[in-house]
Amino acid sequence: MNFINRHIAAGLHEGIALEEYSSPLGAQRKWPIRYGSIELVAICADLATIVLASIISVFLYRIYSSWAAADLANAIGSAIVVSAMFVSLLKMRGMYRPSELLVLRSQIRAVCGALLYAFIVLAAAAGLLNFGDDFSRGAGVAFALTSLALLLVERTLMKSLLMRGLSGRKFAGGNIILISDQPQSSDVGLVPALTMLGFCVTKHFSLPPPHSGSDHRKRLSAHVIENARGSNVEEIIVEADPNRWAELRAFVAELRVLPTPVAFVPVGALSEMFRRPTRDLGSAVCVEVQRRPLTFLERAIKRFLDLIGAGLALLILSPLFAVVVIAIKLDSSGPVLFRQQRCGFNGRSFSIYKFRTMRVLEDGPSVVQARPVDSRVTRIGKWLRRTSIDELPQLLNVLDGSMSLVGPRPHAISQDGQFDKVVRNYAFRRRVKPGLTGWAQIHGCRGPTPTTASIERRVEYDLWYIDNWSVRLDLVILLQTPIEVLRARNAY
């Protein structure tokens, strides 16, 4: 989205640039809601939607049977429980932030996962507490499906309204004074963002250059106090480089005579630090520059899921394995399984298992990736590679602990060293175990990586997965992998 800002030139007063900011957009009719209230509105909308879905489901289900008032009361009670769990889960994940509400795809995944979890917990609680007789299974299924449909419609409408409000600057906002050390002529500064969110920048002061002395600072604070006192200004925002905090601290202290909140917006290289999570380290504040790959509990949960998932998959797929083994033996001479050294967790090498799909068994310092038309691939190998069945023996790697069901796909040792030289942060992928499938694969990053751009895109997805790991995310990837296999993108 492109947003246009109007900057009105102002005079200089004792070395301090002063700008009066005005915009014809300010005359437009605003919505009676502030940008900061969007999260609360979204939560209330979810609560109301789930309760409404429960009422609709009861009436829809009771069309085919006798209606009872008790059923409606039970449905509303269930809706309250489900909505409380649903909202709590999304709130903990930060999915009600306006920036997250704009990403419809992630919202759909989050809604489906949270709703499924809430209904599973409700069903388990009803069974354990012997409340099952008070609930109709048919009405419960209708409730779940209606809730999902209405929530997805609500998310679509919410995204549309949010985009309209931002692009049209429809949100209501208070008057603020902006004090900045950034160029006022810039169209990508804080003023466009504030205006977009509905705030009205009544005055825009420029901070004096660094080390200008206390006289400049005191003159600036006097001007700010003069303009803020007796006005309808609701907040003062200071936008500056954190390196200037020593002098800014004295400046902010002089503004304490005003009963107006003062907020600091960091810019520059150090501003990235403010986006990192923090924790207490004794009396000091510790900034988490790089999170640990997984905690002990997270590793234990992930390993448990790997063992259960891989064990069940091997048991269920054993007839398919037998057919593939016979087909490979009849198609060409050579071993059934292909072993190759791959780079795993923390750079440790391991031997990966695959069904053999080529007439060669390349390993070591020179490995040539498969091409769309490759004479090395056998007849049965083409089918195995297209359906990704050749990767299934890696379930054995999952059982022995060298791989996980979900994680960054491992590459041959020779390619791993090559990619490490040309792709920034490539080595960060080794912070977790490699996986049978991954976040990159369900986004179409499968097969060979012939260009630097292709491996960079894959690494970007892998690093996002590492930084945002959760059990729910692993389950989403596992459920979506068969769909991606059927699409057969980049598989040859």
Side-chain angles (χ1 to χ4, degrees):
M1 291 182 288
N2 295 320
F3 301 99
I4 302 174
N5 293 294
R6 295 188 58 191
H7 294 273
I8 302 176
L12 297 176
H13 182 72
E14 294 183 351
I16 302 172
L18 174 64
E19 180 186 40
E20 184 89 24
Y21 185 88
S22 64
S23 170
L25 289 170
Q28 291 183 1
R29 186 167 183 172
K30 300 283 188 178
W31 291 345
I33 181 176
R34 295 200 174 199
Y35 181 80
S37 303
I38 292 174
E39 186 169 345
L40 177 60
V41 171
I43 290 175
C44 292
D46 279 354
L47 294 173
T49 299
I50 294 175
V51 172
L52 177 62
S54 69
I55 297 173
I56 292 175
S57 64
V58 167
F59 284 101
L60 288 177
Y61 181 70
R62 286 304 171 184
I63 290 176
Y64 303 100
S65 59
S66 58
W67 180 82
D71 290 337
L72 182 60
N74 289 336
I76 294 177
S78 301
I80 294 174
V81 174
V82 169
S83 60
M85 287 188 290
F86 177 83
V87 168
S88 299
L89 287 170
L90 293 191
K91 176 67 176 174
M92 286 189 295
R93 293 191 55 209
M95 298 305 296
Y96 287 113
R97 293 195 299 264
S99 58
E100 292 292 339
L101 291 172
L102 288 170
V103 186
L104 187 58
R105 186 171 182 176
S106 64
Q107 284 291 318
I108 292 174
R109 286 196 298 265
V111 165
C112 293
L115 199 61
L116 176 63
Y117 178 83
F119 274 101
I120 289 175
V121 172
L122 178 65
L128 290 173
L129 300 176
N130 294 322
F131 291 155
D133 295 338
D134 297 330
F135 297 96
S136 168
R137 291 186 179 87
V141 172
F143 176 26
L145 295 177
T146 306
S147 297
L148 179 60
L150 292 183
L151 285 169
L152 294 182
V153 171
E154 178 217 324
R155 281 299 189 276
T156 305
L157 292 175
M158 192 173 297
K159 176 188 175 182
S160 177
L161 289 173
L162 187 54
M163 290 182 65
R164 181 183 173 188
L166 291 173
S167 61
R169 301 176 183 179
K170 297 289 188 180
F171 293 108
N175 296 324
I176 64 172
I177 289 178
L178 177 62
I179 307 166
S180 175
D181 65 355
Q182 302 300 301
Q184 294 191 14
S185 60
S186 172
D187 289 335
V188 293
L190 190 59
V191 173
L194 291 170
T195 307
M196 177 183 67
L197 301 181
F199 294 102
C200 178
V201 182
T202 59
K203 295 288 182 178
H204 187 174
F205 294 93
S206 286
L207 284 167
H211 313 296
S212 297
S214 60
D215 290 340
H216 287 273
R217 186 194 73 229
K218 290 179 179 179
R219 284 196 294 269
L220 174 59
S221 61
H223 282 295
V224 174
I225 293 170
E226 180 184 352
N227 282 273
R229 183 165 284 161
S231 69
N232 58 353
V233 171
E234 296 183 3
E235 189 172 10
I236 298 173
I237 295 180
V238 181
E239 178 193 31
D241 192 320
N243 284 316
R244 303 187 59 182
W245 180 246
E247 55 183 297
L248 289 174
R249 182 168 48 193
F251 169 66
V252 172
E254 293 170 356
L255 300 180
R256 289 179 179 173
V257 297
L258 295 171
T260 308
V262 180
F264 176 65
V265 178
V267 295
L270 282 178
S271 63
E272 186 181 350
M273 282 290 189
F274 289 81
R275 298 183 178 93
R276 303 284 182 176
T278 61
R279 57 188 174 91
D280 292 334
L281 197 62
S283 60
V285 176
C286 178
V287 179
E288 191 178 73
V289 179
Q290 176 177 301
R291 63 160 286 180
R292 68 184 68 189
L294 292 176
T295 64
F296 173 79
L297 179 60
E298 289 172 336
R299 291 197 303 271
I301 294 173
K302 191 170 176 66
R303 183 60 181 151
F304 175 77
L305 294 176
D306 285 343
L307 291 173
I308 297 297
L312 289 175
L314 284 171
L315 183 64
I316 295 171
L317 297 173
S318 56
L320 175 63
F321 277 38
V323 172
V324 172
V325 168
I326 295 172
I328 293 175
K329 280 294 186 182
L330 295 175
D331 184 53
S332 61
S333 60
V336 171
L337 289 180
F338 166 57
R339 295 177 177 85
Q340 188 181 69
Q341 289 298 303
R342 298 288 175 98
C343 191
F345 174 72
N346 202 23
R348 301 168 189 160
S349 62
F350 68 97
S351 183
I352 197 171
Y353 300 103
K354 299 179 70 173
F355 283 124
R356 182 176 59 83
T357 59
M358 291 186 174
R359 296 180 177 86
V360 296
L361 301 172
E362 293 179 343
D363 198 2
S366 178
V367 175
V368 180
Q369 290 187 330
R371 297 179 291 271
V373 180
D374 200 320
S375 59
R376 298 172 300 168
V377 180
T378 63
R379 289 174 299 175
I380 190 65
K382 293 178 182 178
W383 179 74
L384 293 176
R385 297 177 72 89
R386 183 167 295 277
T387 58
S388 294
I389 291 177
D390 64 319
E391 309 283 359
L392 290 180
Q394 289 161 38
L395 291 168
L396 298 173
N397 290 111
V398 175
L399 288 179
D400 69 24
S402 56
M403 289 181 64
S404 177
L405 287 176
V406 181
R409 286 293 297 157
H411 299 109
I413 299 270
S414 60
Q415 296 164 351
D416 206 70
Q418 176 187 353
F419 296 151
D420 202 2
K421 296 176 183 177
V422 298
V423 179
R424 181 174 175 266
N425 296 335
Y426 178 82
F428 290 3
R429 301 169 77 250
R430 305 182 191 125
R431 292 164 57 197
V432 297
K433 290 180 182 179
L436 185 62
T437 183
W439 187 242
Q441 282 62 52
I442 66 171
H443 285 87
C445 299
R446 297 174 59 205
T449 51
T451 64
T452 301
S454 62
I455 187 60
E456 284 178 343
R457 181 166 176 260
R458 184 172 297 192
V459 169
E460 183 179 348
Y461 281 119
D462 289 338
L463 297 186
W464 186 93
Y465 166 79
I466 293 172
D467 290 334
N468 296 274
W469 179 87
S470 67
V471 173
R472 190 197 66 83
L473 181 59
D474 273 4
L475 294 177
V476 168
I477 293 172
L478 289 173
L479 291 173
Q480 198 163 331
T481 294
I483 300 174
E484 183 59 34
V485 170
L486 292 175
R487 297 179 69 181
R489 289 190 289 179
N490 305 318
Y492 50 83

